[in-house]
Amino acid sequence: MTAAVDFRLTDDQRALRDGTRELLAGRFGRDRLRAAVEAPALDRALWRELGEAGFFALRLPAAAGGVGLGLPEAVLVFEEAGRALLPGPLVACQVLASVVDGVATGERIAGLCAAAAGPVLWEHPADCDELILVEGAGKEGEGDRAFRAAASEVAAAPLASVDPLTPLARLTDFPRTAPLALDTSRLRREAALLTAAQQLGSAARTVEMAVDHARRREQFGVPIGSFQAVKHLCAQMLVRTEIARSAVYAASVTGDALEVAGAKLLADEAAVRNARDCLQVQGGMGFTWEADVHLHLKRAWLRAERWGAARELAELLAEGLVTGAEAESEAGVVE
Amino acid sequence: MDLAYTAEEEDFRARLRRWLGEVLPRLPAKPAAADWPGRRAYDAAWQRMLYDAGYAGLHWPRDAGGQGATPTQHLIFLEETERAGAPYVGANFVGLLHAGPTVAAEGTAAQRARWLPPILRGDEIWCQGFSEPDAGSDLASLRTRAVRDGDTYVVSGSKLWTSHAEVADWCELLVRTDPAAPRHRGISWLAMPMDAPGVTVRPLRTLAGSAEFAEMFLDEVRVPVGNRVGAEHDGWRVTMVTLSFERGTAFVGEVVACRRVLGELARTARANGRWDDAVLRRRLGGLAAEFTALWRLTQWNVSEAQRSGGVPGTGGSVFKLRYSHARQELYDAAAEVLGAGALDAGHTWVADRLAALSYTIAAGTSQIQQNIVAERILGLPKGR
C-alpha cells in the first residue's frame, strides 16, 4: 500500500527545482554575482526573465496568468534563489504578485516593508517602482494595516547596507493615502516562510563550499577534511541544514503559523551558523572579499532580521507552548 | 511532499486509540524502579497484551510472526502509545528492536521458529552483549573469544553495558571466532542462554543511581554452534542490520514525550513565576521549534524507509546527533524552571535529566556520529 506522509519531492517538484537551479546557474553565475557586488542595481532583463519563468506568478491561478502551484513549490524555488544569492526584493514580488500589476510578469518591481520599533528598512530602494508598507502588531484583528505608494512618493534616508548585494534605505516618510485590503497575517507568514527557504538554500550551499574546500585544501600533507576537528564542523553544518529543511518543508505544507515561526528560527540559525563555520573551514581565504562566503553570511544576517527575528520568534513559540496551541497545532496531530 | 495520513492509516490510529482506551485502565500498578523482576513481569505482561490484540511485532515481517505493518503505521503506533501513557517497550527492547529483527533477517527457519514467537509473546527477554571494557566506539576490536569444540563454541571474555542482563533469558552476543582475520571479518553472532554455566552478571550502577546495565563475565561458556545466526565470521555484517534498526525508530515515542514535557515546563514556569525571565522563555520557545522539527525529520526518515523498502539510512545519524543534544537541553531547561527544586533527585525531570546524559554516548557517541555524517554523507576523507 502507499501511505501519504511523504516528504519526498514529486517528479514535478524535482523538475521545478532542477529547472530553477539551471536557470540561475545560466543567468546568474559567479561572474554575474561578483559583478552585482560592485554594481548592485538590479538587472531588469534578468528580472523579466524570472517573471517569464513564473518566478513571481508561481502561485497565481492559471486563469490569472499564473502557474497555479502552492507554497511548497514556491519554497523550492526560493531555496534555489538562496543558494545562488540571487539579489532583489524576491519575497516582496512573490507575495505581492496578485496585488501590484506588472509584478507577476517581472515588468514592475514592488518592495515590501514592515513597520517596526527600530528603523524601517527598505531593500533595493532605487529599483522599486512601488512600495507596500505593513503596519501593526502582526496579529490578526489587532490593527494590522497595509498601504501602497509609488516609490517616488516615499521619503527615505540612505543607509550603508552590510550586505553588498542588498542596498538599503531607512524609511522616513510614507504617504498613508492608499490603504490596501490585504490579509496581512497571511502575508507576514508567507514572507517569513519564503525568507526561511532562502536561508535554507544558503545554508545548504555553504555546507558544499566548506566540504569542497576541506577536500581540496592540504595542510600537514593531507586534506584538512581528514581532520576530525574539521569534519565535525562540517557534520554539524549538515545537521543544521537538514533540521531546517524538515521544518521549512513541513511548514510549507501545513502553513501553520507556529510551524512557520519555528522554521524561520531554525533556518536563520542554519544560514548564519553555517556561513560562520564555512568561513572558519576556509580559514584566511574565507576572510577575503574575493571569497563568496561573506556574501552568504551578510545576506543571512539581513534575512534573519526580516519577517521575524530570533528574539521575536522564540517569544511567539513560547507563547504557543502556554496556550497549548503548540500541542494542538497540526505538528504531530493530524486529526 | 504530503503530510496527510491515508484513510487506512487514520482507521488504524482510531482502532488503536480505542483499544488503548479499553486496556490501559486494566494495567497492574507500575513496579518500583529498582524492582527488576517486577519490571520484567510488568513489561512482559504488557507485551502479552499487545500480542493478544495483534499489535506485537507490528513492523516485523509477517513470515517472522509480525504484522507486516508499514513504517508509517509503526510510527503511528509509537506516537499513540506514548500519547496514551502506555508502558514503554522496557525489558523487551533488545528482543523486539535488536535481536529479534536480526534473527528475522538472518536466521534459519528453525532459529526463527525457536526465538521469535517467545519474543513477540513477552515470554523471553533478551539482552545485548556487544560492548566490552576495551571495545566501545571501536566495537570491531572486541576480544571475547569463541573457540570451536565440536558442536559447541567455548566462549570466554567480558562484556559491558549489557542492559537488562539480570532478568534476561538470552543474550545476543558478539564473539571473535577468527583472531587472525581482519578485525571486521573474524566476528560471529551467537544467541547465548543466560543460565549457561560460566555466565556471571554484576549490576553496573550508573550516575543516575539506576542499574539497568550490567557487566557480564564469561568463563568457558558452552554455546551450541546451532545458536550462531549467519555464517561463521560474518557477525559484523549481521550486527549492522541490527544497529540500523536501533537508529531508525527507537526515539519516536521519546520525541512525542519531549514535546509533552516542554508544554509542562511552560505551564510550570507560568505557575512558579519563572516565566517572567525572557531568557528562559526564549529558550523554551527555541526548544519548541527544535522538537517540532525533530518530529518532522522522524516522519521524513520513516517515509524514506517506507519507500526504499529497506532499513533506515544515514538520516538516522543526523537525527540522533540533534535529538540527543536537544534532549539534554530540554532537561537543562527543566532544571532552570525548577530552580533549587532541580536538586531533588526524586523529581522525575531530575531523574530524566541524569538519564539524558547517556544520550550523546550510547548507540554511537556524538563524535562517532559526526564522523559517520562527514565521511558517509559528505564524502570527507577518512583520517584522524
Side-chain angles (χ1 to χ4, degrees), chain A residues 1 3-8 13 226 228 231-232 236 245 259 269 315 318 322 326 330-332 334, chain B residues 1-2 4-5 9-10 79 259 275 281-282 292 295-296 300 303 306-307 367 370-371 375 381 383:
Chain A
M1 64 167 271
V5 176
D6 189 356
F7 273 83
R8 293 174 319 162
Q13 287 171 336
S226 65
Q228 288 195 352
K231 257 183 210 171
H232 291 187
Q236 287 297 344
R245 187 185 304 281
E259 276 209 90
E269 186 211 346
E315 289 284 2
V322 170
E326 164 74 9
E330 194 279 336
V334 183
Chain B
M1 283 183 273
D2 187 352
Y5 291 95
E9 287 162 351
E10 289 299 356
E79 185 189 350
R259 288 162 58 90
W275 193 252
R281 270 199 320 270
R282 291 176 191 176
T292 299
W295 174 248
R296 293 309 192 185
W300 193 333
S303 68
Q306 180 146 330
R307 277 142 193 103
Q367 286 64 42
Q370 287 176 100
N371 286 350
E375 290 167 11

Side-chain angles (χ1 to χ4, degrees), chain A residues 37-63:
Chain A
V37 169
E38 303 311 326
L42 291 178
D43 176 351
R44 287 286 188 152
L46 171 60
W47 205 262
R48 274 190 295 274
E49 224 172 297
L50 293 173
E52 279 161 30
F55 215 95
F56 309 115
L58 199 65
R59 293 186 297 137
L60 297 184

Side-chain angles (χ1 to χ4, degrees), chain A residues 124-146:
Chain A
H124 294 274
D127 296 303
C128 288
D129 301 305
E130 303 228 12
L131 185 62
I132 309 293
L133 177 71
V134 181
E135 287 184 321
K139 287 179 183 164
E140 231 155 339
E142 289 184 24
D144 244 23
R145 295 179 306 174

